[in-house]
Amino acid sequence: MAATSNDALWISGKTCMITGATSGLGRVTALELARMGASTVLVCRNRARGEELVREIAGVAKEPATLMVADLASQAQIRKVAADFLATNSPLHVLVNNAGVFNLSRETTADGIETVFAVNHLAYFMLTMLLLERIKQSAPARIVNVTSDLHTRATINFDDIGLEHSYGGMRSYAQSKLANILFTYELARRLEGTGVTVNCVHPGAVATNLARNNGALIGALSRVIGLFMKSADRGARTQVYAASSPEVANVTGKYFIDCRERQSSAESHDPAIARRLWEMSAKMSGLPG
């Protein structure tokens, strides 16, 4: 995936944090931003894979990568990642919330929260809010949230946000992706005039490891289906574009597919739903509303 010289000029020397950085879309995004001259902060669960990516970035980029190991299903670990980064006193110009999970069977985290909602939405919300003052101090800055067009199949079930009584793998995933967009639009409204933009992207149907934690059969099926999907290199183009392109320097509160603005679902544009989700997310995260 080739970046334009203008993209590289904007991102060069900037500090960029990418979650879910060691595989699929996150790995490609981290490598591409590093090649453009960004100083990358890699947030991942697997230390060995993270160290491997740090070495790979060292071979293609002039700026070294920083590794931060955390399971984003754990609110304590999210808090630690944020605190450790803030302690470096480094600016943060770009945050790419990319980490995600898909579970066929319902699971809960150590915090008692349904895992897909915890990782795919609450981790975005928590990490962003804990780092937000630093991001604002680093403006012009960007926040990029990776979502999915599957959000169009969802509604936010406020009465059973963890889908304890109606769980389905696709239902939980789609709800979390709708939450990403609602969060994006609400945060963009709240950050108007700060120099921080917030956008969300749908990478398309991409061959990644997203569903391969659901047993050997599903893992094998995912690999077969992946032969007919976009590569991670192609899928990551839109989030790299949103993170680096001067074309979107002043664009905020938008939804992108294939590097173009698109229309998201009607529910995703409802500010009352967005505010209610924000308040619920803050309460579930133990953060101020």
Side-chain angles (χ1 to χ4, degrees):
M1 183 175 61
T4 69
S5 58
N6 285 340
D7 295 351
L9 284 172
W10 188 88
I11 204 75
S12 182
K14 301 289 196 300
T15 301
C16 305
M17 179 181 288
I18 305 102
T19 69
T22 55
S23 66
L25 299 170
R27 181 177 177 278
V28 174
T29 301
L31 280 166
E32 191 63 21
L33 295 179
R35 287 190 185 103
M36 293 182 196
S39 176
T40 51
V41 181
L42 315 174
V43 180
C44 67
R45 287 189 302 170
N46 187 300
R47 180 175 294 278
R49 291 211 312 243
E51 290 172 347
E52 180 182 344
L53 181 57
V54 167
R55 290 192 293 271
E56 187 172 356
I57 287 173
V60 300
K62 61 182 180 180
E63 296 290 340
T66 300
L67 178 63
M68 307 190 82
V69 178
D71 181 352
L72 298 183
S74 165
Q75 295 191 2
Q77 292 189 42
I78 294 170
R79 290 179 182 277
K80 186 176 187 305
V81 162
D84 288 349
F85 178 81
L86 293 174
T88 68
N89 293 318
S90 297
L92 184 55
H93 304 100
V94 178
L95 172 60
V96 181
N97 286 307
N98 166 81
V101 66
F102 177 95
N103 286 340
L104 285 175
S105 301
R106 188 177 187 275
E107 300 176 7
T108 56
T109 68
D111 301 297
I113 299 167
E114 189 274 311
T115 300
V116 173
F117 190 77
V119 174
N120 293 8
H121 168 62
L122 285 181
Y124 285 28
F125 181 88
M126 277 194 75
L127 187 62
T128 301
M129 299 312 296
L130 291 168
L131 295 172
L132 191 56
E133 285 306 310
R134 180 64 51 83
I135 295 170
K136 288 161 68 175
Q137 291 164 7
S138 307
R142 306 182 187 191
I143 298 167
V144 180
N145 295 322
V146 180
T147 184
S148 169
D149 67 352
L150 290 173
H151 80 275
T152 58
R153 304 186 184 186
T155 188
I156 301 295
N157 187 343
F158 286 106
D159 295 326
D160 183 20
I161 200 69
L163 303 177
E164 185 175 0
H165 305 293
S166 58
Y167 189 85
M170 192 61 71
R171 181 179 291 116
S172 66
Y173 185 77
Q175 177 180 250
S176 73
K177 296 292 104 179
L178 174 58
N180 294 156
I181 301 179
L182 286 160
F183 171 52
T184 297
Y185 294 167
E186 180 64 15
L187 183 59
R189 284 189 285 268
R190 295 182 183 221
L191 291 179
E192 187 174 352
T194 64
V196 180
T197 64
V198 194
N199 293 296
C200 54
V201 304
H202 166 55
V206 180
T208 68
N209 294 325
L210 183 68
R212 293 182 188 174
N213 60 317
N214 291 282
L217 179 60
I218 298 301
L221 184 61
S222 295
R223 285 188 287 274
V224 172
I225 294 172
L227 297 174
F228 304 94
M229 292 181 168
K230 282 184 182 179
S231 67
D233 280 355
R234 287 181 58 208
R237 287 175 183 170
T238 304
Q239 59 207 67
V240 170
Y241 171 81
S244 65
S245 176
E247 294 178 5
V248 292
N250 299 309
V251 176
T252 191
K254 301 299 182 182
Y255 171 59
F256 287 87
I257 303 176
D258 293 332
C259 301
R260 296 178 182 272
E261 288 183 33
R262 300 296 174 94
Q263 188 71 15
S264 58
S265 70
E267 182 166 335
S268 73
H269 288 280
D270 188 322
I273 294 175
R275 287 192 297 270
R276 186 177 179 189
L277 177 66
W278 183 289
E279 291 163 4
M280 174 180 280
S281 300
K283 184 176 181 180
M284 293 175 75
S285 306
L287 295 173

